[in-house]
Structures are given as C-alpha cells and as structure tokens.
Amino acid sequence: MKKQNQIVKMFVAALVALALQAGMVAKTLQAQVLIPTTGNSWVINNGSKTTENIGPDGIHIQNGYSKVFRTFFYAEETGTIQLGIRGHVMNGKARLKLAMGAQEKTVELTNETPTILWAGDFTVNNPGYQQLDISLLDGDATVQISDVAVNGEPTEKGFYFAKDDFYWGRRGPSVHLRYLVPETVKDVTYFYNEITVPVGEDVIGSYFMANGFGQGYFGIQVNSAEERRILFSVWSPFHTDNPNEIPEDQRIKMLRKGEGVHTGEFGNEGSGGQSYKKFMWKAGVTYGFLLKGVPNGDNSTTFTAWFFDPEVEDWSLIASFERPKTDTYLTGLHSFLENFIPQAGTSSRKVHYTNQWVVDAKGNWTELNQAAFSADATARKNSRLDYAGGQFGDTFFLKNCGFFTGETDFGAQFTREAKGKHPAIDFNSLP
C-alpha cells in the first residue's frame, strides 16, 4: 500500500509539473516573492510614456493594447525560478506572454478575482538585473496585474526590487562624489570644476551637478528636448520644504544676477533661493564652473557662481546670493548626478568631472584629485542598484539609472591623474 501511495504521489507531481510548464496551474506554488508592478514595471518602446496604463494598483492592459510592459528585478544568485503574475480579468478572458530574453511562457486569465497564475520555469543565467516582459497575445477582456510572482532559490538571497517609495524608485538612485580636500587647506574661497557630458548621455530629466557645497549646488540640467538650464541654488538656514514658511530674517537675498538669469525661490527638497539661465549646452563639450563663498563678518555669507562657455571663451555671472545666519567659507565640496523625472528612470546617463581646484583666502591653489563615492537612500535600501562612479584617466565619472548591472561600493575612493596646472582665471575681472 505504501508503495502504491508513493507511486500515486509521484504521478500527481509529474502531472503538476507538466501542467505548470504548460501554464495551466493557477495556485500550485506559494509565491516566495511578490514584486509590485506599480513601482517596478515600465512600458517600453513608448517614448516618454513609460508609465502609461500603470497605476497605484498595477498594470492595466486593455483589449488590443500592443505595447510591452517590462518588470525589473535584481538577482545575485543564478538558477531556476518560477515566474507568474497575480492578476485578474474583467468581462472575458485573456492570454498573456511572459518572456525573459529568449525564454517564453504563456498564461491564460479567466478569473475575475486576483489570483496567482504561474507560467513556469525560467533560468537566471547571470547575476544582476533581470527583466520580465509581459504582453497581451489575445483576448477580449481588460487585464489587471498587481504583482509579478517569483519562486525559487535565487529569491532567498540577494533578491532586490522597489518595495516602497515608488516615486523615488522610478526616479532611480542619485550618486555623489565627495572631493577630498587636504586638511592643510583652510578657508576655501573658490571651487573650480569642469563637466563633460558624453554624447548620447544627455538624457531628459538629468541634473549634472558640478559644484556642490554645504549650503547649495551649481550645475546643468536637461529639462526637455527644447530646454536646458544652468542652475544655481542656495538653501535657507531655516529647514522647510515650503519657502513661504521661511522667516524674513532667514530668507536668501539675491544680490545680483547675470544677463538672462531668472531668480526666485524653490521648495520640496529644502527651500531657499534659486537662479537659472536657459542655455542649450551641448554634449561632448567641456564647461567650466566657478563658485565663490566668503563670510561677510556679520553672520552672513555671500555665494557667487560663474559659468565658462568655451565656445565664446568667457565667463558669465549666474547669480550672487547672501545667506543669513551663516559664517563660513566653502565646505563639503561635491558633485552629484540625479534624474528628476520619474518617467525617465529607465534611461541611463553618465557624466565626467575633471580638473578640480580650490583657492584659499590667501590666493593659494590646490588641486583636488581624490574623491569618495556615495549614493542616496534609494540605493542604500536596495530599491535600485543601477549606480556607479569611479575614475578614468584624469577624470572622475558618475552613472545612474537604466537598470545596468555593476554597482560601485559606497565609500569607494578614487584618485584621478593630476593635471598639475591650475586654470588661468583673473578673479578681479570676473563679471
């Protein structure tokens, strides 16, 4: 009898396995992981409409919709996984294709309540980012998919995706370089840096920040296909995301601004004074950034930013701001790269920084050819792992977004080749 029972169990298991491979079993496996489609899926080959038909409750596929939804997840371990979806249909039935590269399976939805439908086995061949494509083959129903279901040993260790804060997860990780200023250098008055955005890396939604300091930041943006900006901002000492809440004695004061520069206030990520100039800077061209910070002796500090355009071989003033309740020279020198448009988080972008120098209050120049890498909370909690930075020849670089594999360790330090000769700047003739 025991032998017969064992044979029966083996026979049933074999039937289940065959059914699973055919995409016929709805609830045979218990999902070890459910990946929310609302924060981890994108519409591909659809221009800027990468979140079309993806809402707070997941993917919606209407009858006849031909676009492909791509769900990203990161697996450190290789091996076999079982993939499926948690979804349902409204008024009818639908057949979907699930594909990881050349591996393809189908599932058929007829259920009107959310159900896990397993497509079958897939192989993770290489560690890093994986992508599952979901598309409608045929059917007459509207489909809703709340999650991608995953089972198998690779999910048990080093398996990552965005679990919360989907807005930041879609924007992707911000990456930073902190420049290492020698301890012997005091009273940093000027900070000089150069940016080159490689051709093809000037993706819409990118902020290539060159001269960051303890109280603000200065760099270039890609705002749209028709607009680019030079941006310089200084935070108020009063901490709030609403500029209207800043007391009068803690507001940033605009002292002067350059031709064509807009000035005002900003909020949402701290608040303060902002300036920007619309300027169609070009990929592949190296631009210069100069920042000055000097205390005024009355518990206020003046910060001034200039931009160098090599095509006209001249400096232009962006703006000069006075920050109250502040008595400091330049500190916390850094650069960063971020994507500020959530729909653009599927595109990678890269920037090169080189020729960093500081000048102290006595006029002494010091080259900064060492930097340390870091990233924001989105990276640190493993919502996104597409972040990198490093050194190549006489440049540092930063790269983020696009779901590439090959992240850089937090705290990693780099040394670029020294230039040995500081730029020729006549500070007294600056506009």
Side-chain angles (χ1 to χ4, degrees), residues 235 238-246 266-272:
W235 286 302
F238 185 83
H239 299 291
T240 177
D241 285 341
N242 182 358
N244 296 324
E245 296 176 352
I246 301 175
F266 72 96
N268 296 324
E269 296 180 4
S271 295

Side-chain angles (χ1 to χ4, degrees), residues 11-304:
F11 179 69
V12 171
L15 287 178
V16 169
L18 289 172
L20 180 62
Q21 290 180 354
M24 297 165 57
V25 176
K27 282 189 173 181
T28 303
L29 297 174
Q30 180 180 358
Q32 287 182 249
V33 176
L34 288 174
I35 302 173
T37 56
T38 188
N40 297 277
S41 299
W42 310 71
V43 184
I44 62 173
N45 300 324
N46 199 32
S48 63
K49 298 179 181 179
T50 60
T51 58
E52 181 180 71
N53 291 353
I54 303 175
D57 51 0
I59 292 172
H60 290 259
I61 308 177
Q62 297 176 332
N63 182 26
Y65 190 75
S66 60
K67 299 295 183 181
V68 176
F69 295 87
R70 178 166 292 171
T71 301
F72 294 91
F73 57 91
Y74 189 101
E76 288 184 353
E77 304 294 326
T78 60
T80 300
I81 57 174
Q82 294 80 44
L83 287 176
I85 59 170
R86 186 175 188 270
H88 66 282
V89 294
M90 290 168 273
N91 305 318
K93 62 181 181 179
R95 191 164 60 99
L96 302 176
K97 180 175 73 173
L98 277 64
M100 273 183 61
Q103 306 173 76
E104 297 182 357
K105 309 283 184 181
T106 61
V107 292
E108 185 170 297
L109 286 77
T110 58
N111 50 295
E112 295 187 354
T113 58
T115 304
I116 295 178
L117 300 169
W118 293 99
D121 288 352
F122 291 78
T123 302
V124 176
N125 293 308
N126 299 295
Y129 266 110
Q130 316 296 317
Q131 52 192 47
L132 175 68
D133 288 350
I134 302 172
S135 57
L136 178 68
L137 289 177
D138 53 59
D140 56 0
T142 297
V143 180
Q144 180 180 327
I145 304 170
S146 61
D147 304 272
V148 168
V150 193
N151 204 334
E153 289 187 4
T155 65
E156 297 173 3
K157 178 184 177 183
F159 194 83
Y160 305 114
F161 53 91
K163 298 180 175 66
D164 54 21
D165 289 341
F166 293 138
Y167 168 81
W168 295 103
R170 286 200 176 280
R171 280 183 52 167
S174 297
V175 287
H176 323 102
L177 286 173
R178 177 175 57 88
Y179 299 109
L180 306 184
V181 181
E183 293 183 359
T184 55
V185 177
K186 308 295 183 183
D187 300 340
V188 174
T189 302
Y190 291 96
F191 172 34
Y192 175 84
N193 200 357
E194 295 175 357
I195 277 184
T196 309
V197 179
V199 175
E201 301 288 348
D202 50 339
V203 179
I204 293 174
S206 302
Y207 184 19
F208 306 100
M209 200 285 292
N211 291 26
F213 55 109
Q215 295 76 29
Y217 45 84
F218 175 32
I220 51 177
Q221 293 179 319
V222 187
N223 301 84
S224 70
E226 295 78 28
E227 183 179 329
R228 300 183 178 205
R229 295 180 179 181
I230 307 165
L231 183 71
F232 172 49
S233 299
V234 178
W235 286 302
S236 165
F238 185 83
H239 299 291
T240 177
D241 285 341
N242 182 358
N244 296 324
E245 296 176 352
I246 301 175
E248 188 63 33
D249 65 344
Q250 297 192 51
R251 291 182 178 273
I252 302 299
K253 298 179 182 179
M254 193 275 291
L255 301 179
R256 57 190 184 276
K257 63 180 181 178
E259 182 179 354
V261 175
H262 168 85
T263 58
E265 295 180 320
F266 72 96
N268 296 324
E269 296 180 4
S271 295
Q274 182 188 77
S275 63
Y276 66 83
K277 181 178 182 178
K278 295 181 180 179
F279 176 73
M280 292 299 288
W281 55 268
K282 302 173 183 177
V285 176
T286 300
Y287 297 96
F289 298 78
L290 182 66
L291 177 71
K292 182 180 182 181
V294 290
N296 298 317
D298 59 356
N299 198 26
S300 71
T301 298
T302 297
F303 297 102
T304 308

Side-chain angles (χ1 to χ4, degrees), residues 363-386:
N364 300 309
W365 289 79
T366 301
E367 186 168 9
L368 306 180
N369 69 327
Q370 293 184 308
F373 175 82
S374 64
D376 68 354
T378 299
R380 290 185 175 276
K381 65 182 182 180
N382 296 321
S383 286
R384 295 278 292 263
L385 287 90
D386 43 353

Side-chain angles (χ1 to χ4, degrees), residues 255-402:
L255 301 179
R256 57 190 184 276
K257 63 180 181 178
E259 182 179 354
V261 175
H262 168 85
T263 58
E265 295 180 320
F266 72 96
N268 296 324
E269 296 180 4
S271 295
Q274 182 188 77
S275 63
Y276 66 83
K277 181 178 182 178
K278 295 181 180 179
F279 176 73
M280 292 299 288
W281 55 268
K282 302 173 183 177
V285 176
T286 300
Y287 297 96
F289 298 78
L290 182 66
L291 177 71
K292 182 180 182 181
V294 290
N296 298 317
D298 59 356
N299 198 26
S300 71
T301 298
T302 297
F303 297 102
T304 308
W306 294 270
F307 176 79
F308 185 81
D309 180 2
E311 294 190 340
V312 297
E313 297 185 348
D314 202 3
W315 289 97
S316 61
L317 171 69
I318 302 303
S320 186
F321 291 113
E322 182 182 288
R323 188 179 197 260
K325 300 185 182 298
T326 308
D327 185 18
T328 183
Y329 288 93
L330 295 175
T331 61
L333 306 183
H334 64 282
S335 298
F336 69 69
L337 169 62
E338 72 172 12
N339 164 46
F340 57 87
I341 298 178
Q343 291 79 7
T346 51
S347 299
S348 67
R349 71 286 321 275
K350 188 177 184 180
V351 57
H352 293 276
Y353 300 97
T354 193
N355 208 19
Q356 296 82 22
W357 292 81
V358 292
V359 182
D360 67 17
K362 296 180 180 180
N364 300 309
W365 289 79
T366 301
E367 186 168 9
L368 306 180
N369 69 327
Q370 293 184 308
F373 175 82
S374 64
D376 68 354
T378 299
R380 290 185 175 276
K381 65 182 182 180
N382 296 321
S383 286
R384 295 278 292 263
L385 287 90
D386 43 353
Y387 53 83
Q391 168 268 337
F392 181 78
D394 63 354
T395 72
F396 297 115
F397 75 88
L398 288 173
K399 180 180 179 180
N400 72 343
C401 299

